[in-house]
Amino acid sequence: MFANHHLELFKNTETPFYFYDLSVLNSTLAAIKKAAPAEYHIHYALKANAHPALLKIIREAGLGADCVSGNEVKRAVETGYPNNKIVFAGVGKSDKEINYALDHSIFCFNVESIHELQVMNQLAGNKNTKANVALRINPNVDAYTHKYITTGLEENKFGINPYEFDAVIEELKKLPNLNFIGLHFHIGSQINDLTAFKNLCARVNEINQWFINKGYLLPHINVGGGLGINYKEPDVHAVVDFESYFNVFKQFLSLQPKQEVHFELGRAIIGQCGSLISRVLYLKHGINTNFAILDAGMTELIRPALYQAYHKIENISASNKKTVKYDVVGPICESSDCFGKSVELPETNRGDLIAIRSAGAYGEVMSSRYNLRDQLNSVIL
Ligand code: LLP
């Protein structure tokens, strides 16, 4: 929902641009604080949006950082996240990235294969240091989400499968430069059915018990992120129901008293505070449809083209009561450059402002320079 002062500002700003509404971000952070027990460690997944100004606000709310590249670790360090609150995951960390993170003594590496454990051990040894590692486990739990953003199934490339556990334990005994401190899980993204997290808890309990039986009581259990947002109604559900989410873990995760729980949330924190604001360039009558052609495209928000994702589209400057259906498309030379088909909007004119909502997560970070598009500015208010 945009207030008059937003519209005044937007009218005088070159489009397209990303708009981040800090009131939504701050309400979200307050809701997390209220819902999460004090002993839960929440890490913000930088991959969703790594804008320094937003990172600073999230850090000030007390969250840690979940990174998936050396540059994300660097961004977290540079925006003031304490080293002992930075975790680093990823199925293919390069030596350069590992070395950077070792130099900054980050809290933990989430390691995804036996081979990676061996390399990590060697690189830590070269620096005469020890790396804290958690094993990223593939729990084989269905997240009931889009197949491109499901990660916790055996067929996915992520994590270590249970049939490898014995071999991992044997290998760890030979790797003196690693401190084995935890288990890490992440089953997918945009998960709205909390049953998936309940099923995850059951698997975590089993796997945790397996390690305890082998003599490993691991102090840190990281259950990943993945909590979804409501793309259909970004105003009614601007803040996610964190209470129900954390309640699942309170109720179903059975850990030992000394075990601490970690989360890695991205989209649920940053998704709803962002919109992509653009202007209508042209209107065109197709055979069965009308096209509204925007100055923003899949280069600024690729989710609809890549995952057939729904984002609410609003004409925020039109005052017309009459509505018309449009295929809302961008200027890029690809047929998939379409934000929505048959979208009902007030009758639309050249120059009208169009907001594509819920673009805070996986919008700006996934933008590209394809067609040599300009890199966009963002407006933070
Ligand atoms: N932890 C790990 C290990 C992850 O792989 C991810 C996301 C997260 C945490 C944060 O997940 P979130 O809470 O944001 O769901 N580009 C896709 C989403 C890819 C998610 C990748 N991993 C999209 O636009 O839907």
Side-chain angles (χ1 to χ4, degrees), residues 96-201:
K96 183 179 163 197
E97 292 176 313
I98 294 171
N99 280 327
Y100 179 84
L102 285 171
D103 288 341
H104 288 83
S105 309
I106 61 160
F107 167 61
C108 191
F109 291 87
N110 295 327
V111 175
E112 306 228 6
S113 65
I114 293 181
H115 198 177
E116 188 189 341
L117 284 171
Q118 293 161 339
V119 170
M120 185 95 52
N121 179 68
Q122 196 185 349
L123 295 175
N126 293 347
K127 291 182 179 291
N128 255 329
T129 186
K130 281 190 156 207
N132 285 342
V133 297
L135 297 180
R136 173 156 184 192
I137 310 291
N138 186 341
N140 201 20
V141 170
D142 198 332
Y144 313 123
T145 185
H146 193 285
K147 65 177 189 308
Y148 286 4
I149 51 178
T150 289
T151 49
L153 290 176
E154 257 170 20
E155 69 207 46
N156 300 127
K157 67 179 174 180
F158 300 99
I160 295 170
N161 288 302
Y163 58 79
E164 298 170 286
F165 287 174
D166 281 311
V168 170
I169 284 186
E170 283 316 303
E171 191 63 32
L172 277 166
K173 288 179 189 156
K174 298 182 221 151
L175 304 174
N177 308 317
L178 304 182
N179 295 321
F180 178 28
I181 64 162
L183 301 175
H184 172 233
F185 303 82
H186 174 78
I187 54 172
S189 198
Q190 182 52 15
I191 300 170
N192 284 316
D193 181 350
L194 294 182
T195 320
F197 294 114
K198 185 179 159 196
N199 297 342
L200 170 65
C201 288

Side-chain angles (χ1 to χ4, degrees), residues 8 44 86 99 120-121 138 163-164 169 176 215 231 243 252 263 296 300 309 326:
E8 278 313 305
Y44 167 65
I86 298 177
N99 280 327
M120 185 95 52
N121 179 68
N138 186 341
Y163 58 79
E164 298 170 286
I169 284 186
Y231 283 95
E243 207 164 304
F252 296 105
F263 295 83
E300 286 72 50
Y326 298 94

Side-chain angles (χ1 to χ4, degrees), residues 45 47-48 66 89 136 149 184 186 188-190 224-227 264-268 303 307 362 366:
K47 66 179 78 66
D66 163 41
R136 173 156 184 192
I149 51 178
H184 172 233
H186 174 78
S189 198
Q190 182 52 15
L227 179 59
E264 302 170 340
L265 294 169
R267 188 188 322 257
R303 302 193 70 259
Y307 315 116
Y362 308 109
M366 291 180 80

